């Protein structure tokens, strides 16, 4: 009922209270299903939380059977809509890092051409050993509606500038969130973020598009992209 009521108010031109949305809704049980261009699938689920550096960090776990079986990555969000990646762990390979400080994958508000960068230490998940330090840059390459299997979403496509040392350390096989990668994606978006829905499309070993999503607790919808999903 909240989605329908909010949409009705928007259509009538009634002002809603100002609110900073989130580009990654975080609640245990939230789930996203994706389909790849070559027919593969990925399912991500918020499976739990843990405490790190005084923050409650959410664990997103990838389903079995895909190229990311055994992968978890770790997230928080900020009140202004920023999305922070705290690290990842590929359990089957015994390979995972924390980022210190966490990487700001979304620096809200987003706009085409916006850039930001950050230097973080890489800390081994298993041993706590500091492995090295890297400076990573980000840029918003595109914005607009995406027509996906799950519906139409207003989204921002964000890409990454990874230093040469990244490919050396990962063998060129993994991205920042630990997902399997087909290699560096120069001057193009890697993640497409839609307010109140999350990462609706991402580039890994294939291009994955959102097929469906399920949130136990409805979010307050204020973006047109999300409003349209209520009627898909």
């Amino acid at each position: 009922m909240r989605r329908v009521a909010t949409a009705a108010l928007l259509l009538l031109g009634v002002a809603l209270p100002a609110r900073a949305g989130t580009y990654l809704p975080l609640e245990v049980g939230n789930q996203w299903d994706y389909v790849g261009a070559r027919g593969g699938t990925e399912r991500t689920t918020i499976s739990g939380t843990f405490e790190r550096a005084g923050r409650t960090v959410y664990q997103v776990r990838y389903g079995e059977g895909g190229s990311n079986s055994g992968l978890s990555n770790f997230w928080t969000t900020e009140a202004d809509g920023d999305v922070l990646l705290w690290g990842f762990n590929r359990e089957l390979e015994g390979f995972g890092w924390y980022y210190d400080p966490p990487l700001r994958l979304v620096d809200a508000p987003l706009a085409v051409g916006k850039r930001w960068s950050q230097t973080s230490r890489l800390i081994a998940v298993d041993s706590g050993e500091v492995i090295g330090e890297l400076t990573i840059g980000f840029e918003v390459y595109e914005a607009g509606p995406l027509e996906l299997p799950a519906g139409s979403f207003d989204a921002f496509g964000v890409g990454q500038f990874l230093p040469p040392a990244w490919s050396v350390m990962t063998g060129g096989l993994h991205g920042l969130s630990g997902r399997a990668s087909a290699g560096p994606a120069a001057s193009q978006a890697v993640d497409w973020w839609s307010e109140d829905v999350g990462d609706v499309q991402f580039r890994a070993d294939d291009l994955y598009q959102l097929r469906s999503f399920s949130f136990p607790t409805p979010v307050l919808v204020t973006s047109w992209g999300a409003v349209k999903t209520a009627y898909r």
Side-chain angles (χ1 to χ4, degrees):
M1 291 297 294
R2 181 182 289 180
R3 283 179 179 265
V4 174
T6 303
L9 289 171
L10 286 170
L11 291 171
L12 291 172
V14 177
L16 294 172
R19 182 188 68 91
T22 177
Y23 286 96
L24 184 60
L26 293 177
E27 182 177 346
V28 174
N30 285 2
Q31 184 171 278
W32 298 260
D33 281 284
Y34 302 88
V35 60
R38 296 193 294 269
T41 59
E42 289 284 5
R43 169 175 290 179
T44 62
T45 305
I46 300 182
S47 59
T49 64
F50 60 93
E51 298 297 315
R52 185 168 177 84
R55 296 286 303 273
T56 298
V57 179
Y58 288 78
Q59 175 174 305
V60 173
R61 188 164 181 83
Y62 286 66
E64 301 302 320
S67 57
N68 293 305
S69 292
L71 169 65
S72 294
N73 41 47
F74 316 122
W75 304 86
T76 59
T77 57
E78 304 285 270
D80 60 2
D82 290 4
V83 176
L84 304 182
L85 173 65
W86 288 68
F88 68 88
N89 188 29
R90 295 190 64 96
E91 294 176 7
L92 299 184
E93 294 92 342
F95 167 52
W97 296 332
Y98 289 119
Y99 300 112
D100 181 27
L103 296 178
R104 198 169 301 273
L105 264 64
V106 172
D107 184 18
L110 297 177
V112 173
K114 182 175 182 177
R115 294 185 176 188
W116 65 96
S117 64
Q118 154 178 7
T119 299
S120 288
R121 297 187 305 162
L122 308 182
I123 300 173
V125 168
D126 56 355
S127 67
E129 177 187 0
V130 176
I131 298 170
E133 185 177 88
L134 293 175
T135 298
I136 298 168
F138 303 88
E139 180 173 352
V140 181
Y141 284 106
E142 57 187 81
L146 282 179
E147 300 298 328
L148 304 175
S152 179
F153 299 86
D154 290 331
F156 291 92
V158 179
Q160 306 158 0
F161 299 94
L162 300 176
W166 180 268
S167 292
V168 174
M169 298 175 73
T170 65
L173 299 177
H174 304 97
L176 290 180
S177 60
R179 294 186 300 227
S181 172
S187 301
Q188 59 181 331
V190 173
D191 295 286
W192 285 258
W193 300 95
S194 184
E195 189 175 347
D196 292 325
V197 181
D199 199 358
V200 296
Q201 179 173 274
F202 63 86
R203 195 184 309 277
D205 57 334
D206 196 0
L207 181 66
Y208 290 91
Q209 298 184 324
L210 187 66
R211 181 170 58 181
S212 65
F213 60 98
S214 174
F215 300 158
T217 302
V219 295
L220 175 60
V221 177
T222 57
S223 65
W224 275 110
V227 168
K228 285 183 283 187
T229 68
Y231 298 94
R232 69 183 189 278

